[in-house]
Amino acid sequence: FNPENRQKEIVNYLVDLASDVKTIMDYRNPAAHGTTMTIKHAEVCGDYLIKVRKLIDSFLSKIKK
């Protein structure tokens, strides 16, 4: 067990997580701003929701004992 390697793994994971969250936050939901959403936008929104769910599940699995 090497604590330095574990620390690097954790830092790298958090950097990747932050990047993924930034990508998700960049998405603007047109329906939330008073316009209707096209089917294509709905598909993209659904893809983001799935990605967010996977990110949350991945994050929680890493912090559980």
Side-chain angles (χ1 to χ4, degrees):
F1 176 73
N2 187 340
E4 287 182 22
N5 286 344
R6 185 66 178 145
Q7 185 177 5
K8 286 178 186 177
E9 288 177 16
I10 292 169
V11 169
N12 289 338
Y13 172 75
L14 292 174
V15 168
D16 290 344
L17 180 63
S19 176
D20 288 339
V21 170
K22 168 100 173 73
T23 299
I24 292 165
M25 296 303 288
D26 286 343
Y27 180 73
R28 178 181 170 267
N29 179 352
H33 298 275
T35 61
T36 58
M37 187 182 287
T38 65
I39 293 295
K40 183 65 180 167
H41 280 113
E43 289 173 350
V44 171
C45 184
D47 290 344
Y48 276 108
L49 290 173
I50 292 167
K51 185 173 183 176
V52 169
R53 175 62 189 253
K54 287 180 179 179
L55 284 170
I56 291 169
D57 288 345
S58 173
F59 178 73
L60 291 176
S61 72
K62 298 221 185 289
I63 62 172
K64 288 182 182 175
K65 290 184 180 182

